[in-house]
Amino acid sequence: MIPTRFTETNVGDMFVVRNAGNIIPHSQHFEDELAMCEPAALELVCLMNEIKHIIVCGHSDCKAMNMLYSLREEELASKVNRRISPLKAWLFAHASNSLARFQQLEIADFRDPILFQGETSLRKFVAYIDPEDKFGVEDKLSQINTLQQLQNIASYGFLKKRLERHDLHIHALWFDIYTGDIYYFSRANKKFVEINESNEKCLLTEIKKYYS
């Protein structure tokens, strides 16, 4: 799955960062001696190149999210297992918040909304995860994780001024790899909405209204 393909953009139109689980570590994990490439990439593109839109892309049947789902089991998430599995260690360190939100939603039978922080601490948004119940539990977790990254991105102090000025915007896309359908998280609709000809104009109006 190549982002430039399903977004119909050319090479060079986007700066793409890919990793296991499409995760941006929260700023609380940042230390001078342990700098990670994801926040470094944010600084590069947002401060040095002044891009205006950050898009987090998740997808169905994500093997990293399938692994994260399995970490609900205490033995699999144990320190012993994390020491022999870089993927488990990465997910445990940086995606535990996504798993915790998923487990809370699972208790409510996926009916309750989740509150996420947006660009600033005062700009929050509500999300209903797969209210039509079209996807499996791992895909629901994947959608939660995609939205969690928006909150993680906004945690970095070097982005604060641009986010507060509405000069930098963060979005979420989610791709169904089996049908080819692309979903955009609509804050107006409070859920991931399939992008198609019937709602294209409405979504563009929403984007222009809130993110121009």
Side-chain angles (χ1 to χ4, degrees), residues 43-99:
E43 182 179 4
L44 173 64
V45 298
C46 297
L47 298 191
M48 299 180 68
N49 290 298
E50 297 184 341
I51 66 161
K52 296 196 68 173
H53 297 274
I54 302 171
I55 304 172
V56 179
C57 298
H59 63 88
S60 64
D61 195 20
C62 174
K63 298 303 185 283
M65 290 299 100
N66 295 347
M67 174 68 77
L68 179 62
Y69 181 77
S70 74
L71 294 184
R72 298 178 309 155
E73 298 182 22
E74 187 174 342
E75 182 179 351
L76 287 175
S78 68
K79 185 177 291 187
V80 172
N81 275 315
R82 298 200 310 269
R83 283 178 173 172
I84 60 175
S85 170
L87 179 57
K88 287 188 179 75
W90 164 257
L91 294 171
F92 187 86
H94 301 299
S96 292
N97 285 343
S98 299
L99 183 58

Side-chain angles (χ1 to χ4, degrees), residues 22-36:
N22 57 280
I23 293 167
I24 304 293
H26 192 279
S27 63
Q28 68 186 16
H29 298 288
F30 174 74
E31 298 178 18
D32 291 342
E33 298 83 3
L34 298 173
M36 294 168 285

Side-chain angles (χ1 to χ4, degrees), residues 186-189 202-211:
S186 165
R187 299 194 193 187
N189 289 281
C202 291
L203 290 176
L204 284 174
T205 299
E206 176 184 338
I207 292 169
K208 289 177 181 178
K209 179 179 180 180
Y210 293 106
Y211 306 109

Side-chain angles (χ1 to χ4, degrees), residues 116 125-129 147 150 171-174 183-193 203 206 211:
F116 289 94
F125 63 91
V126 169
Y128 288 89
I129 303 300
L147 296 176
L150 306 189
H171 312 264
L173 287 178
W174 195 81
Y183 293 78
Y184 176 76
F185 183 78
S186 165
R187 299 194 193 187
N189 289 281
K190 302 177 183 179
K191 65 178 183 177
F192 280 99
V193 176
L203 290 176
E206 176 184 338
Y211 306 109

Side-chain angles (χ1 to χ4, degrees), residues 105-173:
L105 191 60
E106 190 176 34
I107 293 172
D109 198 26
F110 302 102
R111 291 190 299 266
D112 292 348
I114 303 177
L115 184 65
F116 289 94
Q117 179 184 317
E119 288 77 1
T120 70
S121 59
L122 298 177
R123 192 176 183 186
K124 296 179 170 62
F125 63 91
V126 169
Y128 288 89
I129 303 300
D130 188 24
E132 294 84 10
D133 199 25
K134 294 171 58 177
F135 302 105
V137 289
E138 293 90 345
D139 287 345
K140 288 178 171 63
L141 173 58
S142 175
Q143 291 189 354
I144 292 171
N145 181 68
T146 302
L147 296 176
Q148 178 65 40
Q149 305 321 304
L150 306 189
Q151 185 166 306
N152 290 356
I153 289 168
S155 71
Y156 284 91
F158 60 81
L159 299 178
K160 183 178 180 181
K161 289 184 179 179
R162 290 199 65 194
L163 290 170
E164 288 179 342
R165 293 198 307 261
H166 305 290
D167 184 42
L168 178 65
H169 310 287
I170 48 181
H171 312 264
L173 287 178

